[in-house]
Amino acid sequence: MVKGRRKSGYSPDAPDWQIEQAGSSAVLFRRGEPAPIVAEWFRDRYWRERNLIVGKEPGRGAVLFVRRGEQTWALRHYRRGGAVARLTVDRYLWTGLERTRPFREWWLLRDLHNCGLPVPNPVAAHVNRSGLTWRGEIITERIADTRSLASVMTAGGIDAGAWEAVGATLRRFHDRGVDHADLNAHNILLDAGMQVFLVDFDRGAVRTGADWKRRNLNRLRRSLYKIARTGGGAFEEPDWNRLLQGYGSAA
């Protein structure tokens, strides 16, 4: 177990979620869903054949936006990064269903959403086992009318109030012990009223201690400067100081 991590979400007798298994596939979802969640929903082809794809967020962790009734869902397939991706794009070592990344992220999002933190509502998670490895996906509700912090920067910059709102929101997560493993400008969303949301909690965890909080903030700072260096909008030290001001004022 990673030092300082507190187990979140998993309880074999939890009353609000269930797992349906069929062959090598397992699907995790909330009890009381109006329609059964089926493994086919986690395949791009299912939505493409029905002309229900309404958008896509590119990148290694590419997200497909699909329409399901009155809702829009975000479908993300788990993919490898770094040197490991040269050996396998999307397979992970099997160490038990409750340890798979889609299930762990779903349970974490369920807990965070239930306690009122601004995260997407999880719909379902899917894992398909093949021998000693697995592949998987997660579906969440899309947060409407939002843009990533990176795209807002690129479009013309952010005012002081927005930077402070980002900092204050990060403090809310940190005070709850929530470690976002990949905190960067692409995983922070803002709506028209500058309300802030965090997305993509793959490898996220609830932790004790404080060192990880500094690592979170330092990772975000590097991300913001990288975007500015590559022509993605202005970002300077006073902007970072405003973010920290918002972070401090939320104490």
Side-chain angles (χ1 to χ4, degrees):
M1 179 178 291
V2 177
K3 185 177 179 181
R5 174 179 289 178
R6 300 200 303 268
K7 199 165 187 178
S8 174
Y10 175 69
S11 173
D13 56 355
D16 64 335
W17 57 262
Q18 67 186 77
I19 297 173
E20 292 289 341
Q21 293 185 275
S24 60
S25 289
V27 178
L28 167 66
F29 56 95
R30 289 183 186 268
R31 293 187 187 276
E33 288 289 340
I37 307 290
V38 295
E40 285 76 15
W41 289 5
F42 297 89
R43 298 171 184 160
D44 294 3
R45 185 176 63 185
Y46 174 91
W47 305 100
R48 188 174 295 109
E49 289 176 347
R50 290 159 177 80
N51 197 31
L52 292 174
I53 296 176
V54 296
K56 186 175 182 179
E57 188 73 28
R60 178 177 64 84
V63 176
L64 202 65
F65 298 116
V66 300
R67 188 170 66 252
R68 171 66 184 170
E70 298 299 316
Q71 294 183 333
T72 301
W73 289 350
L75 167 62
R76 189 177 83 247
H77 186 75
Y78 287 77
R79 289 182 171 83
R80 290 285 196 176
V84 179
R86 300 173 186 171
L87 303 175
T88 176
V89 174
D90 60 359
R91 289 205 171 272
Y92 299 82
L93 180 65
W94 179 264
T95 58
L97 189 58
E98 74 277 7
R99 294 175 178 268
T100 59
R101 287 159 72 157
F103 277 37
R104 291 173 68 96
E105 183 174 359
W106 191 97
W107 278 314
L108 177 60
L109 283 174
R110 187 274 313 256
D111 288 353
L112 301 183
H113 191 269
N114 285 352
C115 70
L117 287 173
V119 299
N121 188 24
V123 175
H126 172 248
V127 169
N128 184 275
R129 182 181 181 183
S130 178
L132 297 177
T133 64
W134 62 266
R135 305 161 97 177
E137 298 82 24
I138 190 169
I139 295 174
T140 61
E141 291 182 12
R142 186 180 188 180
I143 303 174
D145 303 319
T146 57
R147 293 188 296 164
S148 71
L149 176 58
S151 66
V152 176
M153 289 174 63
T154 302
I158 301 175
D159 63 26
W163 285 119
E164 291 173 10
V166 171
T169 301
L170 296 181
R171 181 60 181 268
R172 288 179 63 193
F173 281 88
H174 283 181
D175 285 350
R176 291 270 188 169
V178 182
D179 177 9
H180 191 296
D182 189 19
L183 189 62
N184 62 60
H186 299 280
N187 291 331
I188 298 174
L189 306 184
L190 296 93
D191 66 13
M194 291 300 118
Q195 184 176 353
V196 182
F197 304 84
L198 297 191
V199 297
D200 193 352
F201 279 82
D202 180 23
R203 296 180 294 112
V206 177
R207 302 187 188 279
T208 57
D211 288 347
W212 59 268
K213 298 178 183 179
R214 290 189 288 272
R215 290 196 297 271
N216 269 191
L217 294 174
N218 288 338
R219 186 182 186 91
L220 175 59
R221 189 169 185 263
R222 291 194 299 271
S223 168
L224 295 170
Y225 273 112
K226 180 179 180 180
I227 290 170
R229 286 197 307 271
T230 56
F235 177 76
E236 299 176 350
E237 199 65 18
D239 299 316
W240 182 248
N241 290 337
R242 292 186 186 104
L243 185 150
L244 294 181
Q245 181 178 342
Y247 185 91
S249 66

